Amino acid sequence: MRLFIVLLLCLALATCSSQPPRVQVINPASAELTQSRSFKLIAAEQAVNGPLPFAERYRQLDQLLREGLTQRGYHASHKAQILVYYWLAVQDSPLDFHLETAPPTPLGPYQALHRLRDSTGTLRIRLTTPEQHILWEGLTSTGLSPQRDSAELLERATQALLQQIPVASP
C-alpha cells in the first residue's frame, strides 16, 4: 500500500511540474523555406478529418502562429508562398501499474493491478508550398490534455515548435 501511495505522489508531482515541451522535427527545413517570406494559415478543419480536440484553443493558436512566424521574418499574405497547416491532437494510451505486496493473510501473495490512462496533447505544424511540397514539419508534446488544458501550456508548446523553424532570409 505504501508503494502505491509513493507512486501516486510521484505521478502527481510529475504532472504538476512544468516540463519543457518535447519537440520533434519530422521534416527538416528545405532551402526553399528560407527563400520564401509570405505565409497563409490553413484552418485545421481542412487538415483533419473528424472532430477537432481542443476546438476552443484554435483562435489562440491562430494568433500565436501569426505572431511567432512574424517574429521569425515571415508575413501573412493571401498570395502566400508558404501554406501553414496546424492541428492539435490527443494521444491516449493505457498505463498499467503492477504492485506486489507482502501477503495480507497466510493464503499467499497479493498482486494489485492499477489501470490509469495517459492523455497527452500534441501540436503539429506543417509548412508546404501551394503545390503541397513539404518545406518543414514538426511536432511537440506537452502536458496539454483534456484533463489539463491551459492557455499557458499551448503558448509554451507553440513557441518551442516555432523556434525550430528557420528565420526567413532578408
Side-chain angles (χ1 to χ4, degrees), residues 41-52:
L41 296 178
I42 306 299
E45 293 85 10
Q46 296 177 11
V48 177
N49 294 329
L52 296 172

Side-chain angles (χ1 to χ4, degrees), residues 24 26 61 65 85-89 91 122-126 136-140 161:
Q24 177 185 2
I26 299 167
L61 183 56
L65 289 172
Y85 293 90
Y86 59 97
W87 61 95
L88 296 165
Q91 294 176 342
T122 60
L123 167 62
R124 181 173 284 216
I125 299 174
R126 179 181 296 152
W136 183 89
E137 185 173 6
L139 171 76
T140 183
L161 196 51

Side-chain angles (χ1 to χ4, degrees), residues 113-128:
L113 176 63
H114 302 281
R115 295 209 163 120
L116 304 170
R117 302 225 40 98
D118 178 28
S119 295
T120 303
T122 60
L123 167 62
R124 181 173 284 216
I125 299 174
R126 179 181 296 152
L127 308 179
T128 70

Side-chain angles (χ1 to χ4, degrees), residues 25-97:
V25 175
I26 299 167
N27 288 310
S30 67
E32 190 179 354
L33 176 61
T34 57
Q35 303 304 318
S36 305
R37 298 192 42 93
S38 61
F39 72 90
K40 178 180 179 183
L41 296 178
I42 306 299
E45 293 85 10
Q46 296 177 11
V48 177
N49 294 329
L52 296 172
F54 310 110
E56 65 283 353
R57 291 287 171 208
Y58 279 95
R59 179 174 285 159
Q60 176 193 5
L61 183 56
D62 183 80
Q63 179 184 358
L64 290 170
L65 289 172
R66 284 183 195 281
E67 290 172 2
L69 288 169
T70 302
Q71 290 173 356
R72 302 211 54 82
Y74 301 95
H75 66 276
S77 173
H78 289 292
K79 290 192 172 192
Q81 299 166 314
I82 303 169
L83 301 180
V84 181
Y85 293 90
Y86 59 97
W87 61 95
L88 296 165
V90 177
Q91 294 176 342
D92 191 29
S93 59
L95 293 175
D96 291 338
F97 288 105

Side-chain angles (χ1 to χ4, degrees), residues 21 23 123 140-142 152-162:
V23 176
L123 167 62
T140 183
S141 299
T142 67
E152 180 186 338
L153 285 173
L154 182 58
E155 184 174 347
R156 281 191 288 147
T158 306
Q159 289 173 352
L161 196 51
L162 289 174

Side-chain angles (χ1 to χ4, degrees), residues 8-30:
L8 281 180
L9 181 60
C10 290
L11 185 62
L13 289 174
T15 58
C16 292
S17 66
S18 62
Q19 300 174 0
R22 294 182 309 266
V23 176
Q24 177 185 2
V25 175
I26 299 167
N27 288 310
S30 67

